[in-house]
Amino acid sequence: MPIQLQNNVTLLPFNTFGMNVQARTMIDVHDIEEVQEALDFAKHDQQEIFVLGGGSNILFTQAVDKIVIHNCIPGIAIIAETDDHVFVKAGSGVRWHELVEFCIHRNLQGVENLALIPGNAGAAPMQNIGAYGVELQQVFESLTAVEISSGNEVVFKKEDCKFGYRESVFKHIYKHRFIITSIILKLNKQPQFNISYGAIQEVLEASKVEKLSPEIIANAVIQIRRSKLPDPNVIGNAGSFFKNPVVPIDKFESLKATYPTISGYQQMDGNIKLAAGWLIEHSGPDDQVSWKGYRNGDAGCHAKQALVLVNHGQATGIEILSLSEQIQSSVLQKFGVVLEREVNIY
Ligand code: FAD
Ligand code: NAP
């Protein structure tokens, strides 16, 4: 079937920040052929494209005067198995949490800490999604993508993706050059659970769990996330707005001397990862001590997690962006630490 074009579409239902911006044209793509057809159309019409997944890591500050290629490629399947591992392939339009459920219901271990992260499987490699001490790269095998300039299919193995903390090659040298169409994960049959985060331990202790399983850990993660994070269906947000900054140990020690409650976690290279949420919570606009719970019009900082900026209803992307810049400069002024954005801005 030929691809279907929709013109002058509102992106309101397609981004979790709840920004009511228009897209000039939107094309839902359901397989690689449709991706290639959409690219041919854009090339023929001399229009630029914008790739959209679940819209949970993007802040729209303006209308999208491009062709939005909306990723709807379905399908989850086990494609190979060894004594120790099971390889699961997912279309890039599959909801990430659906893929997590597929794995935990088969007792496959590896993604349970990543339960309930919004968005699509195809966007997961973009920032090497991570939560509760686990990152996508730990289970990632490979992905297939379509090169935007040629329409050719290209396979990226894990080492090609250059994963880092909320980073991959697709945010840098390959930015806007590929459309990811499927991913393959390598899950463990023999569990190697990570319950290092205090919140998970607390839930497991409270429920007196005797034997861990991927499902039990996923349920603990879901319980914590539901209690703490704003549901985008209720209040617009895109999760953590900033990355946790990493600083040299001497910088951390001098901050700790002045602010004894500051949170820091040692990294493999000896540097210290600071909790950006703590820095935001302990700085504030001129007359206030904290950004946590701050609100200006409909743009705000979440009352339970200061790292999450929220749209209380009618905030514009520009207002959210402006609030984020005020937070960045107040954290820089107070702590001498630069906060880098995690959310993509359009
Ligand atoms: P989108 O927002 O649609 O796109 C994000 C970027 O990727 C855009 O630049 C887009 O152009 C590009 N892109 C999307 N799909 C493709 C594709 N197939 N090919 C090429 N480019 C593509 N993130 C975490 O890492 N950990 C968390 O714990 C976490 N928790 C969150 C909690 C909440 C409540 C929310 C709202 C967000 C959270 N996030 C978290 C952020 C977000 O869910 C993830 O980054 C997710 O992977 C984004 O997926 P998406 O499909 O919504 O991407
Ligand atoms: P939290 O548990 O309150 O912890 C605050 C910060 O401290 C986190 O950012 C986390 O870093 C770090 N941290 C906590 N315990 C740690 C440990 N044992 N070892 C190393 N670092 C530790 O954080 P939260 O806001 O409730 O989020 C819980 C998890 O979900 C985190 O992993 C967070 O990244 C993830 N999350 C991500 C998003 C997003 O949009 N990216 C949104 C919501 C939640 P890390 O962030 O590096 O883990």
Side-chain angles (χ1 to χ4, degrees), residues 26-51:
M26 184 154 101
I27 303 174
D28 289 353
V29 290
H30 303 88
D31 55 33
I32 287 184
E33 289 69 35
E34 289 190 1
V35 172
Q36 290 164 330
E37 222 182 300
L39 290 176
D40 283 348
F41 173 82
K43 201 183 258 184
H44 182 261
D45 240 37
Q46 296 185 330
Q47 293 196 51
E48 286 183 72
I49 63 144
F50 175 81
V51 184

Side-chain angles (χ1 to χ4, degrees), residues 131-132 166 196-197 228-229 239-240 244 265 273 305 342:
Y132 299 100
R166 306 285 193 267
S196 58
Y197 276 45
K228 198 167 176 185
L229 288 170
S240 306
N244 287 325
Y265 298 89
K273 178 184 74 180
Q305 170 50 289
E342 182 175 311

